Every structure is written in C-alpha cells, then in structure tokens.
Amino acid sequence: MEKINSSPLCYKKGKLHFDNIPLETIAGKVKTPFYLYSEKTLLQNYNHFLESANKAMICEPLICFALKANPNLKLLKSLAKNGAGADIVSGGELKRALDAGIKASKIVFSGVGKTKEEIIKGIKAGIYSFNVESIEELEQINLEAKKLKKRARVAFRLNPKVHAKTHKHISTGFKTHKFGILKSDILKAVKNKKYWTHTDLVGLSMHIGSQLTCLKATKKAVKELGLLANEVNRPLEFLDVGGGLGVDYGPEEKKNFSTPYEYMSLISKELQSSFYKNYAFDNQTRIVFEPGRVIAARAGAFITKVIRTKKSEDCFFAIVDGGMNDFVRTSLYGAYHEILTEKKGAGKKVKTDIVGPICETADCFGTGRSLPRLNPGDLISVGDVGAYGFSMASHYNMRELPKEIIVSSKGKLS
Ligand SMILES: *Cc1c(COP(=O)(O)O)cnc(C)c1O
C-alpha cells in the first residue's frame, strides 16, 4: 500500500481507494461530482490536536471547531460526541452547532457583523462567549441582554497589530483589517461601567489569519494577548488563541509546517512568560482554540468525472463535471491541491490542465499536472478539501450543489 501523506486516499493494486474502499465502488453509487469525507481522519486530527495541547501542558484546552470550515451535520455530531465545542460566525452556524449536539456552553461567537437578531439568539442560547469585535458591538450586546433581563458572557477580540504571512484574503490581525479591537480601546472599555450592566467579561480572544505556516506572527500575537490579560488585571475564565494553523497541501508550498505539538508548545511558552505572574493564571484560566482547517482539510476529497478531453496546440485539457462553484479554493486563492487519477497508470504521463465547465478562466483545479492520459468517464480526486470546500460552494451558473458522502469510522457509506 502506498500512503499519501496522512490523507484517507491511497493506491492499492493501482486503484485509488478512500478509507480502503475503491473509489470506483463509491462512484458507482453516487452521481459525480461529490465530496467524500472520512470520519476516521477527522476524529484522528481532532484527537491529535487535543492530545498535543495536553502534552504541551495547556490548561483545560477547549477545542471549538470553526464551523465555517465544514458545517456538515453528521461530521459535527461526531465531533460533538468527542467533546468538541464550536466557533461560529452567524445565526445559521449557531443553529447548526446546537442541532449537532454541541453544548451552548462550548460555543464562541466571532465575527464583526453580528446582527441584533443573532445577538438575541446567542444570549437566549446561553453561549460560552461573544467574542466582540468592536466597542459598538459590546454596547449592543449589553442593551439586548438588558431587554432580555439576562447577562451575556463576552470576550474582547484583540487586534494584535501583527502581519500574519498568508494569503492576503485570509490575514486578519493587522490594524487596517476589520477584525478585533486595539489594546488601548479594550483597556478603556474595561473601565467604563456603562458597558457592563448586563455583560460579564469572561475572556480575551484573538485570531490572526488562516493557513498560517510561519508561526512568528502567532508568537507575537499570543504574547500580546498575555500582556493584555495582565493589564486587564481581573480574573478571566479563558484566553482564546483562535485558529489558523496551516496544512501542507502539497509540492507547490514548500514551507516549514508546524505540527500541532510545536504550535501548542509555542503558545504554552508565550502565555507562561507573559501572563504567568497574573493572579488569574494560576492554572485556572482555560485555553480555547478555534481550529478549522487543521482538523478538517485532510478528511475530505472532491470526486469529479472527466466529461471530455480537449487538445489545443500544446495544451491538453481534461474537462471535468465539477467546477469552481463546487470547490473554489483553487480559483479564489490560487491554492494548490493534490490531484489523483482513479487508476495509477503505468504509461507515459501527460501534462494536463484540469478545468471545470463554468464560464470563467479561473475555473481550474490544476494546470500542467503530470497525469496518466485521461479519457472521458475517468474519475479524478482533488485532495484535502475537507475544509473550506463544500462550505464555500455556490449555485453559480445555476448549478446544483454537490453531494456530501461520509465514510463512517466503521467503514459505512452514508
Ligand atoms: C476562520 C476562523 C477560524 C478558523 O480558521 P482555520 O484557519 O480554519 O483554523 C477561527 N476563528 C475565527 C474567528 C475565524 O474567523
């Protein structure tokens, strides 16, 4: 058996398998294109992340899975059973998290544009924390809680003024970005009693971006968070260090990737050195994480079929039935994703552009890939799509949304 990183995909006797089931068998039952998820891989990643936190002596880690990476109900139920919480950014995600059995006491609500209705829903549900992104938002949460005769739990999301080196669309921690609040504004608001009549400050949070590889910015931001906790100078139930740990998608991104353990160790060390002296950090302050990608990416593959091939001078196109409406990361971010053919193929490789049917040039899963000569009807797998895959799908070109199929931990398809 040839193992391909830690993904559920591998070749056996020259044929592509997903969690040990021949892709051909699965595609015989489901119309392409579709997403295929491995519950086993998802839980392995989740458990590995949690174990790494424990190993790095992180205090009472709470893993709030970022729903926007993958809000599939069955997968969320599985994470919920394993103790996961949720990081949500909308009323829709709040409902989905609760429907999946994630306890409100494990839900944190991020996002700069929480509406009045969403705030009310969050207060009524009794969520663990509103991670507030402006003083104006704090004011509104306080007001809505007052009207409901309840108290709301809030944490400030710090804008640590760091430049996370990632794609510009997913870097979120600099002062020109719309996210978080500057330290000086937080310290002023903490002291202003008018914001706290119906709210309780229970924590501090941050999130500086996604697909982080170099952890320099993370280190700096975590330190800022610890220093702020010192300056706030009151007991805090938790510090939320956000998500963002990157995933190695393949050969085009030759960078140094950090393991969850290296990531946890760095966080643990920074918090201890910047925050240890504070009375709140006598191992009472729990650490919250909001990972999405690192938990879900590897657990998914996108399966699509060649409609026809096309030769145009030096270019060889495989036109597939999946498009950028189904999976947009390659078009939107120029992201690299591994592409595997159903049959390993021993013959000469052909430089192939894998393109979809959408009327946009960006509708492309990979260019110049060395693949066995493809023919109409052949299956292709786009790998590591379990995060920001289906959750970003649209109906563009009036296309149907792709199906989602899960291979359960017991090897059953559903
Ligand atoms: C998107 C997001 C996350 C998850 O980011 P990943 O890169 O998937 O780990 C966590 N927290 C917040 C506030 C987010 O917006």
Side-chain angles (χ1 to χ4, degrees):
M1 185 177 12
E2 188 182 330
K3 199 116 187 77
I4 295 145
N5 49 53
S6 54
S7 102
L9 290 158
C10 74
Y11 283 107
K12 271 188 186 175
K13 292 187 182 145
K15 289 199 163 185
L16 193 57
H17 286 57
F18 188 90
D19 267 355
N20 295 321
I21 306 174
L23 196 58
E24 208 176 11
T25 308
I26 303 172
K29 295 175 184 171
V30 193
K31 196 172 154 282
T32 55
F34 59 89
Y35 278 88
L36 191 52
Y37 302 126
S38 162
E39 183 187 18
K40 196 168 104 193
T41 304
L42 181 83
L43 293 181
Q44 267 171 5
N45 291 343
Y46 170 78
N47 286 321
H48 179 63
F49 197 81
L50 183 58
E51 282 158 18
S52 302
N54 287 324
K55 210 169 118 194
M57 311 291 280
I58 296 273
C59 176
E60 268 192 83
L62 173 63
I63 316 292
C64 291
F65 176 67
L67 242 71
K68 75 176 190 288
N70 191 328
N72 179 283
L73 185 61
K74 283 183 194 158
L75 294 181
L76 289 179
K77 280 185 179 169
S78 181
L79 286 172
K81 278 199 199 111
N82 282 269
D87 168 50
I88 59 159
V89 291
S90 74
E93 286 191 354
L94 173 60
K95 181 173 184 313
R96 177 59 61 88
L98 293 170
D99 286 350
I102 296 172
K103 291 197 187 86
S105 61
K106 289 183 176 179
I107 295 177
V108 298
F109 194 164
S110 309
V112 295
K114 302 175 192 80
T115 65
K116 181 177 156 183
E117 291 73 25
E118 287 172 331
I119 289 169
I120 291 170
K121 278 183 193 159
I123 296 171
K124 282 187 174 165
I127 61 171
Y128 189 55
S129 172
F130 285 95
N131 290 353
V132 304
E133 307 235 14
S134 61
I135 306 303
E136 293 82 349
E137 180 192 330
L138 173 62
E139 207 164 3
Q140 182 156 23
I141 293 171
N142 192 45
L143 178 70
E144 300 309 330
K146 182 178 177 188
K147 285 195 237 159
L148 291 167
K149 298 195 171 63
K150 287 187 184 262
R151 297 194 72 80
R153 296 165 55 87
V154 305
F156 285 112
R157 175 168 173 182
L158 171 69
N159 183 321
K161 296 205 257 187
V162 298
H163 260 308
K165 285 208 176 64
T166 181
H167 193 283
K168 68 179 190 329
H169 291 170
I170 49 179
S171 182
T172 58
F174 197 57
K175 67 176 180 183
T176 54
H177 297 147
K178 66 182 174 181
F179 301 99
I181 312 175
L182 298 175
K183 181 175 176 174
S184 51
D185 295 329
I186 291 175
L187 291 172
K188 257 187 262 157
V190 168
K191 293 194 193 104
N192 191 336
K193 288 204 175 77
K194 76 172 181 179
Y195 299 125
W196 306 106
T197 62
H198 292 78
T199 52
D200 297 305
L201 180 65
V202 288
L204 298 172
S205 80
M206 60 169 252
H207 173 73
I208 60 167
S210 197
Q211 185 57 2
L212 306 175
T213 51
C214 161
L215 293 183
K216 246 191 188 155
T218 304
K219 188 172 164 177
K220 230 169 118 186
V222 170
K223 185 171 188 164
E224 286 299 315
L225 193 72
L227 292 174
L228 175 63
N230 264 331
E231 286 190 51
V232 164
N233 200 29
R234 60 189 64 196
L236 296 170
E237 283 179 40
F238 69 90
L239 290 185
D240 177 345
V241 294
L245 187 59
V247 164
D248 185 358
Y249 283 109
E252 284 192 2
E253 289 194 56
K254 281 218 174 64
K255 290 177 187 151
N256 287 327
F257 285 87
S258 305
T259 63
Y261 179 66
E262 287 163 345
Y263 171 74
M264 296 294 177
S265 301
L266 176 138
I267 290 170
S268 181
K269 204 170 130 232
E270 283 311 310
L271 285 179
Q272 299 231 356
S273 65
S274 62
F275 189 44
Y276 193 65
K277 291 158 234 90
N278 190 285
Y279 65 94
F281 195 70
D282 50 2
N283 278 346
Q284 296 297 314
T285 308
R286 83 182 313 185
I287 306 301
V288 176
F289 297 87
E290 305 171 348
R293 192 186 306 276
V294 71
I295 307 290
R298 286 261 194 275
F302 179 64
I303 311 302
T304 177
K305 193 185 273 177
V306 177
I307 299 172
R308 67 178 61 86
T309 59
K310 171 173 171 173
K311 201 149 170 34
S312 182
E313 281 193 354
D314 315 345
C315 294
F316 179 69
F317 297 102
I319 303 160
V320 296
D321 60 4
M324 65 189 281
N325 74 297
D326 302 306
F327 181 68
V328 78
R329 294 197 74 254
T330 47
S331 314
L332 185 60
Y333 307 123
Y336 178 92
H337 281 261
E338 174 117 296
I339 291 175
L340 298 171
T341 52
E342 199 262 315
K343 291 187 198 76
K344 195 149 187 253
K348 205 169 145 264
K349 298 272 163 59
V350 183
K351 288 242 180 288
T352 308
D353 291 359
I354 299 90
V355 299
I358 307 279
C359 296
E360 300 256 356
T361 306
D363 183 29
C364 180
F365 295 122
T367 53
R369 299 292 178 94
S370 246
L371 297 175
R373 174 77 163 72
L374 287 162
N375 292 301
D378 286 350
L379 294 171
I380 281 176
S381 154
V382 183
D384 303 327
V385 302
Y388 307 102
F390 184 86
S391 62
M392 294 180 95
S394 76
H395 287 287
Y396 188 40
N397 281 205
M398 279 197 79
R399 286 164 54 85
E400 275 175 36
L401 290 180
K403 284 189 194 56
E404 296 178 280
I405 308 297
I406 296 169
V407 181
S408 76
S409 296
K410 292 188 178 121
K412 290 232 162 64
L413 283 181
S414 62

